[in-house]
Amino acid sequence: MSSDSAAREEGRDESGTPGTEPVWDVVVVGGGPAGASAAHAAAAAGRRVLLLEKSELPRYKTCGGGIIGPSRDALPPGFRLPLRDRIHAVTFSHNGRMVRTRRSRRMLFGLVNRPEFDAGLVDAARAAGAEVRTGVAVSRVEQHGPSVPDRRTVAVVLGDGRTLLARAVVGADGSAGRIGAHVGVKLAQVDLGLEAEIPVPASVAEDWAGRVLIDWGPIPGSYGWVFPKGDTLTVGVISARGEGSATKRYLDDFIGRLGLAGFEPSISSGHLTRCRSEDSPLSRGRVIVCGDAAGLLEPWTREGISFALRSGRLAGEWAVRIAEAQDAVDARRQALNYAFAIKAGLGVEMGVGRRLLALFERRPGLFHAAITGFPPAWRAFAQITRGTTSLADIVRTHPLARRVLSGMDRG
């Protein structure tokens, strides 16, 4: 048995101090898709990983639960999606009008309930070797001071005052979390999403099976959705923060005109989504952020699951390298490499999404007409949801899309 293994069995740290926890290679704060993916990636690399989640699992999360191709492709190997429905058709409307349904022989995307999905990802991280502790809140992280024994260590201070030590920390504790504040994440776009989980009788559920509704809303940049999940419909809307009353009216009107006002929601919830500014940091010392904690999501659709899974996996991989760094210079180099990987992939997609959101805010009718009446636009939508292409790829490789976007930018 190695000295490290013996120390861990006796509850000692690497220096052999009795009665203390080991120095973790990686501590991940937050047990959502980003955090679970980071913990899985680091644990799969053979490192000592601790995943902390302040809630008990499973727990509810305001989210439509759409699993598009990029999300599916970023899942841990062997992960089985707990799909509640497989979507082959999309009904589009423009504030309840000009309703049109487009269909596909191949599945466009799947739908999950977030409590099941998130708990499954945490189980996958645990199976890869990560230790999971739920019901544990993190108060702050410290990289200097009496709690930090050396420059290779980060102190994770828990809500009850206890301190854990790590060689690297991944912040995945949400857009309003403590780790993003420590890193200094800056936000450029904040939106309010409102959602209701509505149980419906079998006759209503049958009408929605395999089909979602997307409604371009009355508030600039807003839209609504209906996602079927067996005997429950997830109905929600999203728009810019500051339009709270109008957003609530939009949801109420939306539910009413769908004929669902007579059904009592089992859950009604709200959530703020936050997009990072382009110059926002992704690291500070040996601490990096991913997912919502980093403000990573698609600005137009506000889709965040694929961004969480992809950035979480990258964060876990680069946290391993940061943990191995012997000095501050090398740790900084690895953190910058992580930031470059995020910006080169997800950052490019976010840049295109920002442009599309600005255009959508001005011309929602044009978007509706294109996606319902222009076959190349529908094919692009289907390919993006399946994961065979991305917004960035379409703009980069299709001259017409590039010209249209550039012309609308100028106009």
Side-chain angles (χ1 to χ4, degrees):
M1 181 182 296
S2 70
S3 60
D4 283 355
S5 298
R8 288 195 294 274
E9 283 206 353
E10 296 175 21
R12 304 197 311 263
D13 64 11
E14 292 173 345
S15 64
T17 304
T20 61
E21 290 207 33
V23 177
W24 299 91
D25 292 321
V26 179
V27 169
V28 180
V29 183
S37 295
H40 181 277
R47 298 306 185 268
R48 185 193 291 115
V49 179
L50 176 63
L51 173 60
L52 303 175
E53 166 56 42
K54 67 180 180 181
S55 301
E56 297 296 342
L57 298 175
R59 50 94 174 97
Y60 183 76
K61 166 73 172 179
T62 304
C63 176
I67 304 298
I68 59 176
S71 298
R72 181 200 60 232
D73 295 342
L75 292 169
F79 184 86
R80 294 190 64 182
L81 277 168
L83 291 181
R84 291 302 182 117
D85 206 343
R86 293 169 169 82
I87 300 306
H88 288 79
V90 182
T91 297
F92 296 97
S93 61
H94 186 195
N95 197 20
R97 302 184 301 275
M98 296 179 283
V99 180
R100 184 168 182 182
T101 299
R102 305 299 304 260
R103 302 184 184 277
S104 171
R105 290 190 179 90
R106 295 171 55 199
M107 187 178 84
L108 296 167
F109 57 95
L111 298 176
V112 299
N113 282 331
R114 283 292 301 273
E116 296 175 331
F117 178 65
D118 290 13
L121 289 171
V122 170
D123 287 343
R126 186 186 287 112
E131 181 172 329
V132 178
R133 298 181 190 174
T134 59
V136 179
V138 171
S139 175
R140 65 186 184 278
V141 293
E142 298 177 356
Q143 302 194 62
H144 308 283
S147 299
V148 183
D150 56 62
R151 296 300 298 275
R152 286 192 62 213
T153 307
V154 180
V156 180
V157 183
L158 306 183
D160 62 7
R162 290 180 297 142
T163 298
L164 306 173
L165 300 179
R167 298 299 183 204
V169 171
V170 176
D173 53 341
S175 59
R178 302 299 177 88
I179 312 304
H182 174 81
V183 168
V185 173
K186 296 185 290 184
L187 304 171
Q189 175 187 330
V190 183
D191 297 288
L192 171 63
L194 300 177
E195 193 168 76
E197 301 287 349
I198 304 178
V200 294
S203 58
V204 176
E206 289 171 6
D207 290 340
W208 287 97
R211 176 176 66 95
V212 302
L213 168 65
I214 297 176
D215 178 72
W216 314 119
I219 308 165
S222 68
Y223 73 95
W225 62 88
V226 179
F227 285 1
K229 298 170 186 175
D231 60 359
T232 299
L233 301 179
T234 298
V235 183
V237 300
I238 194 165
S239 66
R241 184 179 65 172
E243 298 285 353
S245 297
T247 305
K248 179 64 168 63
R249 284 196 301 273
Y250 177 27
L251 177 61
D252 291 342
D253 292 346
F254 187 43
I255 291 174
R257 68 172 177 252
L258 291 170
L260 301 174
F263 302 113
E264 185 69 23
S266 59
I267 299 174
S268 295
S269 63
H271 178 67
L272 292 177
T273 65
R274 297 172 170 93
C275 285
R276 68 189 293 273
S277 62
E278 292 187 69
D279 62 342
S280 179
L282 291 164
S283 67
R284 177 180 174 185
R286 290 177 175 267
V287 179
I288 59 178
V289 287
C290 60
D292 286 347
L296 293 168
L297 71 159
E298 201 283 298
W300 175 35
T301 63
R302 291 81 155 186
E303 189 278 322
I305 295 177
S306 75
F307 280 70
L309 292 168
R310 290 181 286 172
S311 66
R313 184 171 64 184
L314 286 171
E317 293 168 353
W318 287 105
V320 168
R321 295 174 173 88
I322 293 170
E324 294 170 345
Q326 297 300 310
D327 55 45
V329 173
D330 191 22
R332 175 65 174 162
R333 181 183 304 116
Q334 302 305 334
L336 288 173
N337 286 337
Y338 165 68
F340 177 79
I342 291 292
K343 292 174 183 178
L346 301 181
V348 173
E349 292 182 33
M350 290 184 71
V352 175
R354 288 188 188 95
R355 296 170 69 190
L356 285 173
L357 175 62
L359 300 176
F360 174 64
E361 288 173 340
R362 300 199 305 264
R363 302 289 298 277
L366 183 61
F367 274 77
H368 181 72
I371 205 166
T372 59
F374 186 49
W378 165 249
R379 286 196 296 270
F381 176 91
Q383 290 167 357
I384 289 169
T385 59
R386 292 191 191 110
T388 57
T389 190
S390 68
L391 285 173
D393 288 338
I394 289 173
V395 173
R396 183 169 53 248
T397 61
H398 290 71
L400 177 58
R402 193 162 54 249
R403 287 198 302 271
V404 168
L405 195 58
S406 297
M408 293 185 71
D409 280 344
R410 292 192 297 271

